[in-house]
């Protein structure tokens, strides 16, 4: 803000006399209001006041005060921080300035004070009757918009009006570059020959006056006319016989002859000054563009990559040509892809599109410069919406087209022949620089790809686990190329694809998003590659119908290649990024090379795994064969044992029959003699001993007979727990008298089995007696039952465990043989366990022993269900 001490003093004095809260001197420049001097208004309040004046309603209200030369007031907007209820405007005659004050009320005398102050300030301004000339020292000649605002201001100050604009001629168009109370007019281009009023002004080079009701009133060019507007005039700015621009004004009252004379006089004086300003502006633009070559050498040539070259080039061209409609097209090495570089909202946007069918295809093939002044002309290619003129410069390297640089402008006739020649020179240097940078990037990309391949080969060579190979490769790919997602999927024997390796910064996000769903979409990119084996590169998924997003994860770029062994597809490599244009053609080549190596490793791993499976099957067969051989040996042993028992049984039956009759005679006569022998006979003890031994021999004979009669059966379905409970009831007293602690562990709800209950009781009695005899000093006895499964069958297991002296390994091999006993002279016959073994095998079961010397023994009877 420019502050003038003299004006501020006048504002201060007037405010004290009138009681105003604050006061400012404001000027309308370039369609906006600026504060030139301020009294008692803080920074925040100043900003708020400028925002209020910028609104269309208040701007029109202030422009009306300037045009009419009358003071006005209006209410302050609600919730305002200006601390007043009213705003007053006192225009300064002959200028585009106005004193604006804030007060709750201003009396008639107070308003006279402000009008007097405004009249005093009007004497400080240049008289509108003086000719308008550019002020070279102030730099006005180099500021075309401000200079044209001053020119238009001179007309508006000379004749009050509702609105006005000034347009400069550009070829066959008039471009509005200054306006008064019609902001929407700025920047509008008006074709001269398409409007009858402008066509008349161009041909006659004389002013035109149109009033409401005349035929041409409906054909008036751009203007915000009000319902009470009655007159519109257009004044040509002419040098010699050349129209360089026009000025239009409109208002409610008709123009008097004096006012029309003043306007014509001004229109005759200002063209030379306007032409000088336009010439200075064009010369400045010419110098700026001439400096483009120097800037190109200093900035663009030092760029390190293609994106940096494009960004710096766009910045230079935007400043030189005052347009942001700039596009750089670069063709890929194979000629299939066209990379489109543009600036969008201050950021470089790069997309890759197929060259075939693109609007630039014919242009690149033709290889000629195009400069089109107007979009209506033939040959115009609309690269950017809203463009009116266009300059297309092909980029050639060693005579071959490599791309094109397109500069467009929203105004027609924006580019001259000199601009064309300048850009041809720059484009020749730019093409060489781009090609050199592209070759360097491709070399760096290949080196990076070779580094990745070397690293993968080092880490996966010799591995035989496909999952491990895929996991290592996916992590290395994500690490080398900074990919957000790298996934490797392999196919199994059932032709089903599954993720074997995944890496990247968003791998966990994708795994979570899948939540058990298939990664490969049949109608998507991955499905197409898995089905056809063709590689796919997508750099804008929004424009590719093949891309199918995963719920929770959506990429903007995707690259997918197949792992193939000949024509057989082994899997795919899929890499994705949330950035658009994340992958280059070099990335595609690198992934295809890596896929070839990975396919060889996977094939080797498949063959190794098949070999391992064969070895495993052979080992399984060997184990099964050994088990069958052991089972056969065990069966043969049982058969041999059964044969031995059968032979012993037959012999025992014969011996028992031979001994039973003599023993019966000895026993009977001994009992008769004892009955008749006196109690005090000296032979009584000897005779009692004979009877006792005879009876013991009879018991042995009875057991031999029992052993020989095991084939007799009385089988019923019964529960083993009932047998246990009956035997325990019979032996509980014996157990307690032997100082042995009994523990029963009987399983509930056991299935019933087909058994001879008396024989099973004999089995359990034999096992309990043997256990008690092994625990001479007492101990622990545990009897248990439990269900079990073995060899695909259901069994009921009866177990007897003692804490006695145990059985050696050598004795365990003979423990079930007849007449074998470990009891020595304690009277054992060696038939108890043989009888037990015979009963159990006759029931289709087995009996097993587990024992260690001095650590007790466990006998398990397995009975089939």
């Amino acid at each position: 803000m420019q502050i003038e001490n003299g004006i501020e003093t006048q504002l201060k004095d007037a405010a004290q006399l009138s009681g105003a809260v604050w006061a400012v001197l404001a000027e309308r420049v370039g369609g906006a209001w600026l504060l030139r001097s301020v009294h008692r208004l803080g920074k925040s309040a100043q900003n708020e006041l400028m925002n209020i004046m910028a609104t269309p309603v208040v701007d029109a209200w202030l422009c009306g005060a300037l045009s009419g030369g009358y003071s006005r007031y209006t209410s302050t907007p609600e919730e305002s921080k200006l601390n007043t209820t009213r705003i007053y405007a006192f225009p300064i005659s002959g200028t585009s300035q106005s004193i604006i004050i804030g007060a709750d009320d201003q009396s008639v005398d107070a308003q006279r004070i402000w009008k007097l102050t405004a009249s005093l300030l009007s004497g400080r301004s240049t008289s509108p009757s003086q000719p308008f000339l550019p002020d070279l020292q102030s730099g006005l000649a180099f500021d075309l918009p401000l200079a044209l605002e001053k020119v238009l201001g001179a007309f508006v100050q000379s004749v009050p009006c509702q609105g006005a604009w000034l347009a400069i001629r550009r070829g066959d168009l008039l471009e509005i570059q200054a306006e008064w109370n019609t902001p929407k007019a700025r920047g509008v281009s008006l074709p001269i020959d398409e409007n009858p009023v402008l066509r008349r002004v161009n041909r006659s080079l004389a002013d035109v006056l149109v009033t409401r009701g005349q035929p041409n009133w409906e054909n008036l060019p751009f203007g915000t006319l009000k319902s009470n507007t009655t007159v519109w005039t257009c004044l040509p700015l002419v040098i010699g016989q050349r129209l360089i621009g026009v000025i239009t004004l409109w208002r409610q009252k008709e123009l008097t002859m004096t006012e029309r004379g003043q306007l014509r006089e001004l229109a005759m004086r200002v063209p030379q000054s306007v032409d000088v300003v336009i010439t200075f502006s064009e010369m400045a633009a010419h110098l700026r563009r001439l400096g483009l070559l120097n800037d190109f050498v200093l900035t663009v040539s030092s760029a390190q990559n293609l994106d940096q070259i494009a960004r710096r080039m766009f910045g230079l061209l935007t400043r030189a040509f005052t347009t942001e409609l700039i596009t750089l097209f670069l063709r890929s090495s194979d000629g299939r892809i066209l990379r489109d570089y543009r600036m969008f909202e201050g950021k470089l946007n790069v997309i890759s599109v197929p060259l075939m069918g693109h609007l630039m295809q014919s242009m690149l093939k033709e290889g000629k410069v195009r400069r089109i002044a107007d979009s209506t002309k033939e040959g115009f290619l609309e690269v950017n919406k809203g463009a009116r003129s266009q300059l297309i410069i092909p980029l050639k390297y060693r005579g071959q087209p490599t791309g094109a640089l397109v500069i467009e402008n929203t105004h027609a006739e924006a580019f001259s022949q000199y601009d064309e020649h300048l850009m041809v020179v720059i484009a020749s240097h730019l093409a060489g620089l781009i090609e050199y940078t592209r070759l360097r990037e491709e070399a760096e990309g290949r080196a990076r790809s070779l580094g990745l391949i070397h690293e993968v080969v080092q880490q996966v060579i010799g591995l035989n686990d496909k999952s491990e190979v895929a996991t290592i490769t996916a992590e290395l790919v994500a690490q080398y190329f900074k990919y957000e997602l790298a996934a490797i999927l392999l196919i199994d024997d059932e032709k089903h694809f599954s993720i074997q390796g995944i890496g990247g910064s968003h791998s966990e996000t994708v795994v979570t998003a899948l939540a058990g769903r298939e990664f490969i979409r049949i109608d998507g990119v991955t499905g197409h590659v898995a089905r056809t084996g063709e590689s796919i590169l997508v750099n804008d998924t929004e424009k590719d119908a093949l891309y199918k997003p995963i719920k929770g994860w959506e990429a903007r770029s995707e690259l997918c290649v197949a792992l193939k062994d000949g024509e057989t597809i082994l899997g795919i490599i899929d890499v994705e990024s949330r950035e658009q244009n994340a992958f280059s053609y070099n990335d595609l080549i690198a992934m295809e090379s890596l896929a070839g190596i990975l396919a060889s490793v996977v094939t080797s791993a498949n063959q190794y795994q098949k070999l391992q499976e064969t070895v495993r099957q052979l080992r399984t067969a060997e184990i099964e064969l050994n088990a069958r051989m052991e089972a056969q040996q065990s069966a043969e042993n049982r058969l041999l044992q059964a044969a031995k028992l059968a032979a012993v049984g037959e012999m025992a039956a014969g011996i028992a029959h031979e001994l039973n009759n003599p023993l019966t005679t000895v026993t009977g006569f001994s009992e008769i003699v004892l009955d008749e022998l006196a109690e005090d006979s000296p032979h009584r003890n000897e005779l009692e001993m004979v009877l006792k031994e005879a009876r013991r021999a009879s018991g042995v004979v009875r057991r031999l007979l029992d052993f020989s009669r095991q084939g007799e059966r009385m089988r019923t379905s019964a529960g083993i727990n009932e047998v246990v409970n009956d035997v325990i009831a019979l032996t509980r007293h014996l157990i307690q008298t032997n100082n042995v602690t009994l523990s029963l562990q009987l399983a509930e709800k056991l299935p019933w089995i087909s058994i001879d209950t008396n024989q099973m009781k004999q089995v359990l009695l034999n096992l309990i007696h043997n256990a008690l005899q092994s625990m001479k000093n007492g101990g622990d006895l545990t009897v248990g039952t439990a269900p079990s499964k073995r060899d695909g069958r259901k069994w009921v297991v009866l177990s007897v465990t003692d804490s006695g002296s145990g059985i050696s390994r050598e004795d365990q091999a003979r423990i079930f043989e007849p007449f074998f006993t470990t009891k020595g002279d304690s009277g054992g016959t060696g038939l108890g366990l043989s009888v037990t073994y015979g009963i159990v095998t006759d029931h289709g079961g087995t009996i097993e022993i587990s024992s260690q010397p001095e650590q007790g023994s466990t006998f398990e009877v397995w009975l089939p269900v």
Side-chain angles (χ1 to χ4, degrees):
M1 185 194 304
Q2 184 180 1
I3 305 295
E4 300 182 19
N5 293 332
I7 297 177
E8 187 175 359
T9 301
Q10 289 179 306
L11 293 178
K12 178 180 178 181
D13 294 341
Q16 290 177 347
L17 292 173
S18 65
V21 177
W22 51 263
V24 300
L25 176 65
E27 183 177 10
R28 195 174 192 272
V29 179
W33 288 91
L34 303 177
L35 303 185
R36 297 301 189 189
S37 185
V38 178
H39 171 64
R40 294 183 65 184
L41 195 63
K43 290 289 185 182
S44 60
Q46 291 178 33
N47 293 332
E48 183 176 0
L49 179 61
M50 293 180 68
N51 290 334
I52 292 174
M53 292 190 296
T55 59
V57 175
V58 177
D59 180 50
W61 178 73
L62 291 172
C63 290
L66 288 177
S67 301
Y70 303 110
S71 60
R72 294 180 173 183
Y73 74 86
T74 186
S75 299
T76 306
E78 296 181 1
E79 299 181 359
S80 172
K81 298 180 181 179
L82 298 177
N83 299 324
T84 61
T85 58
R86 291 181 180 180
I87 296 176
Y88 291 80
F90 298 93
I92 299 175
S93 177
T95 69
S96 58
Q97 298 178 336
S98 176
I99 297 175
I100 300 174
I101 69 167
D104 292 333
D105 190 22
Q106 288 282 282
S107 63
V108 176
D109 292 338
Q111 293 185 38
R112 287 175 181 172
I113 293 173
W114 288 112
K115 290 178 181 178
L116 177 61
T117 304
S119 64
L120 293 175
L121 293 178
S122 65
R124 301 169 62 93
S125 63
T126 303
S127 172
S129 62
Q130 298 176 356
F132 175 83
L133 293 174
D135 185 357
L136 299 180
Q137 292 183 349
S138 67
L140 183 62
F142 302 99
D143 191 342
L144 180 62
L146 183 59
L148 297 181
E149 286 283 349
K150 290 289 187 181
V151 171
L152 183 60
F155 282 81
V156 172
Q157 293 161 15
S158 174
V159 176
C161 60
Q162 291 178 323
W165 49 257
L166 184 154
I168 299 300
R169 184 170 185 173
R170 302 284 187 191
D172 295 332
L173 300 174
L174 286 172
E175 292 183 0
I176 300 176
Q177 298 192 11
E179 53 80 23
W180 173 261
N181 201 22
T182 177
K184 295 182 179 180
R186 187 181 298 275
V188 174
S189 296
L190 303 172
I192 296 176
D193 293 335
E194 293 181 7
N195 186 276
V197 178
L198 296 180
R199 189 166 58 244
R200 175 181 170 185
V201 172
N202 182 42
R203 291 175 180 176
S204 65
L205 299 180
D207 62 288
V208 173
L209 181 70
V210 182
T211 59
R212 184 180 290 274
Q214 289 185 345
N216 278 331
W217 183 261
E218 300 299 330
N219 297 323
L220 296 180
F222 189 90
T224 308
L225 304 181
K226 297 184 179 181
S227 58
N228 59 359
T229 302
T230 59
V231 63
W232 181 93
T233 185
C234 180
L235 303 162
L237 303 180
V238 181
I239 294 182
Q241 294 298 314
R242 179 168 58 92
L243 180 69
I244 66 169
V246 298
I247 293 177
T248 65
L249 301 94
W250 58 90
R251 69 177 191 178
Q252 182 178 2
K253 295 190 301 182
E254 293 187 5
L255 293 171
T256 63
M257 293 303 297
T258 302
E259 289 175 331
R260 294 189 66 180
Q262 290 176 350
L263 292 176
R264 287 170 180 169
E265 184 181 358
L266 278 174
M268 292 175 62
R269 289 206 305 267
V270 299
Q272 291 184 349
S273 300
V274 171
D275 194 41
V276 169
V277 174
I278 294 174
T279 302
F280 268 102
S281 177
E282 291 179 350
M283 288 179 61
H286 174 74
L287 291 174
R288 284 196 304 272
R289 295 176 185 179
L290 191 61
L292 189 61
L293 279 173
N294 184 54
D295 292 339
F296 177 82
V297 174
L298 293 176
T299 59
V300 179
S301 299
S302 62
Q304 299 298 314
N305 52 56
L306 292 178
D307 289 355
Q308 206 172 66
I309 289 175
R311 192 178 293 106
R312 293 183 179 182
M313 193 69 206
F314 288 165
L316 291 177
L317 297 178
T318 298
R319 291 194 298 272
F321 293 98
T322 61
T323 179
E324 293 186 352
L325 305 182
I326 305 171
T327 308
L328 175 64
F329 294 102
L330 296 179
R331 192 172 61 177
S332 63
S333 302
D334 61 354
R336 296 185 303 171
I337 304 298
L338 193 66
R339 290 180 70 82
D340 183 333
Y341 293 79
R342 308 184 193 211
M343 295 298 292
F344 181 72
E345 295 182 353
K347 295 183 179 179
L348 182 65
N349 187 37
V350 187
I351 60 173
S352 296
V353 294
L355 178 60
M356 183 65 66
H358 194 274
L359 60 87
M360 294 301 297
Q361 184 180 9
S362 60
M363 178 64 209
L364 291 175
K365 186 176 181 180
E366 182 182 286
K368 293 182 180 180
V369 179
R370 285 189 186 181
R371 178 167 59 89
I372 302 177
D374 196 304
S375 58
T376 58
K377 300 294 180 65
E378 183 179 356
F380 184 84
L381 302 176
E382 189 179 9
V383 178
N384 293 282
K385 290 185 178 180
R388 293 289 303 278
S389 56
Q390 188 176 68
L391 181 60
I392 303 178
I393 311 294
L395 302 178
K396 294 183 179 181
Y397 183 73
R398 294 181 179 178
Q400 297 297 320
T402 59
L405 181 63
V406 181
I407 308 174
E408 297 176 307
N409 202 301
T410 55
H411 302 291
E413 300 284 350
F415 307 106
S416 64
Q417 188 174 9
Y418 173 79
D419 297 332
E420 179 182 328
H421 293 162
L422 175 65
M423 289 309 302
V424 168
V425 175
I426 291 177
S428 64
H429 293 288
L430 182 63
L433 178 62
I434 288 175
E435 193 63 23
Y436 168 75
T437 304
R438 179 157 55 187
L439 290 174
R440 188 186 67 213
E441 287 186 350
E442 288 180 357
E444 291 174 352
R446 289 192 178 98
R448 189 170 63 250
S449 301
L450 289 174
L452 168 65
I453 293 172
H454 177 71
E455 184 76 17
V456 170
V457 170
Q458 277 192 326
Q459 294 205 28
V460 305
I461 197 71
L463 294 179
N464 298 309
D465 187 340
K466 294 188 295 183
S467 296
E468 186 177 0
V469 171
T471 300
I472 292 174
T473 305
E475 291 175 352
L476 287 175
V477 168
Q479 174 184 344
Y480 264 76
F481 293 97
K482 303 296 187 295
Y483 292 155
E484 294 172 272
L485 174 66
I488 297 179
L489 293 89
L490 301 178
I491 194 169
D492 56 22
D493 295 336
E494 298 178 357
K495 305 300 181 183
H496 178 264
F497 285 89
S498 61
I499 296 177
Q500 297 294 321
I502 188 166
S505 57
H506 286 75
S507 57
E508 293 183 1
T509 303
V510 173
V511 172
T512 304
L514 285 174
R517 294 191 296 270
E518 292 289 338
F519 183 86
I520 289 186
R521 298 287 296 273
I522 300 301
D523 56 344
V525 172
T526 52
H528 180 82
V529 174
R531 187 171 60 256
T532 64
E534 299 175 355
S535 302
I536 292 182
L537 171 62
V538 179
N539 266 323
D540 188 357
T541 56
E542 293 182 351
K543 297 181 180 179
D544 197 298
L546 267 181
Y547 176 75
K548 298 296 184 293
I550 300 171
K551 186 177 181 181
W553 163 260
E554 186 167 354
R556 294 297 303 278
S557 302
E558 183 173 11
L559 172 60
C560 189
V561 299
L563 306 179
K564 295 190 292 184
D565 181 16
E567 295 299 322
T568 304
I569 297 176
L570 306 176
I572 64 171
I573 301 176
D574 185 72
V575 292
E576 300 182 16
S577 173
R578 282 186 169 175
E579 296 293 329
Q580 195 175 358
N581 303 294
F583 309 126
S584 65
Y585 184 69
N586 287 334
D587 294 332
L588 177 60
I589 295 175
M591 287 300 103
E592 288 179 339
S593 301
L594 179 62
I597 296 174
L598 196 58
S600 299
V601 176
V602 170
T603 301
S604 299
N606 283 337
Q607 293 174 350
Y608 177 80
Q609 288 180 356
K610 289 180 181 178
L611 180 61
Q612 288 293 97
E613 179 63 21
T614 303
V615 172
R616 188 190 65 80
Q617 291 176 357
L618 290 175
R619 287 177 178 172
T620 302
E622 181 185 8
I623 293 172
E624 291 179 356
L625 181 60
N626 290 335
R628 289 180 180 179
M629 291 175 64
E630 290 177 0
Q632 184 176 357
Q633 184 66 35
S634 177
E636 290 177 354
N637 291 337
R638 287 197 297 271
L639 286 174
L640 181 59
Q641 183 72 13
K644 289 180 180 180
L645 290 176
V648 171
E650 292 177 1
M651 182 181 67
I655 293 173
H657 284 295
E658 291 295 330
L659 294 178
N660 194 41
N661 291 332
L663 287 174
T664 302
T665 302
V666 172
T667 303
F669 282 106
S670 296
E671 288 175 349
I672 294 171
V673 172
L674 281 174
D675 288 340
E676 296 177 355
L677 193 65
E679 291 292 332
D680 55 351
S681 174
H683 301 289
R684 191 173 185 85
N685 290 335
E686 288 83 354
L687 192 57
E688 287 179 349
M689 184 178 296
V690 171
L691 180 60
K692 178 181 178 183
E693 291 302 320
R695 286 177 177 173
R696 189 171 72 83
S698 296
V700 171
V701 171
R702 187 177 61 254
R703 289 191 183 92
L704 286 172
L705 290 174
D706 290 341
F707 180 75
S708 64
R709 289 197 296 267
Q710 290 177 15
E712 298 177 6
R713 301 177 183 176
M714 291 184 64
R715 303 281 180 89
T716 59
S717 294
I720 195 66
N721 286 348
E722 295 179 5
V723 173
V724 173
N725 290 326
D726 290 345
V727 172
I728 294 301
L730 294 174
T731 59
R732 188 179 298 275
H733 178 71
L734 181 62
I735 292 171
Q736 292 175 351
T737 56
N738 281 271
N739 197 24
V740 171
T741 302
L742 175 65
S743 174
L744 290 178
Q745 297 179 358
L746 306 181
E748 297 181 357
K749 298 182 180 179
L750 286 175
W752 283 20
I753 54 179
S754 178
I755 59 175
D756 185 324
T757 55
N758 290 327
Q759 289 184 339
M760 280 300 115
K761 290 178 182 179
Q762 182 178 351
V763 167
L764 184 55
L765 278 170
N766 289 342
L767 295 177
I768 291 176
H769 284 155
N770 285 347
L772 293 176
Q773 290 173 4
S774 70
M775 296 184 290
K776 297 179 180 180
N777 299 320
D780 296 319
L781 176 65
T782 302
V783 179
T785 57
S788 184
K789 285 185 178 181
R790 188 167 65 181
D791 301 331
R793 295 185 62 184
K794 295 182 180 181
W795 301 79
V796 171
V797 181
L798 169 65
S799 63
V800 177
T801 303
D802 63 67
S803 60
S805 57
I807 306 172
S808 66
R809 185 174 297 274
E810 292 78 10
D811 291 342
Q812 290 180 32
R814 302 180 60 196
I815 195 71
F816 296 113
E817 292 181 3
F819 306 111
F820 178 80
T821 179
T822 61
K823 300 174 184 176
D825 299 332
S826 60
T829 62
L831 293 175
L833 287 178
S834 295
V835 172
T836 299
Y837 183 88
I839 293 173
V840 172
T841 54
D842 187 54
H843 280 75
T846 61
I847 182 168
E848 298 175 357
I849 181 173
S850 173
S851 180
Q852 292 289 337
E854 306 303 328
Q855 294 184 14
S857 303
T858 298
F859 287 85
E860 288 185 347
V861 177
W862 290 67
L863 299 172
V865 175

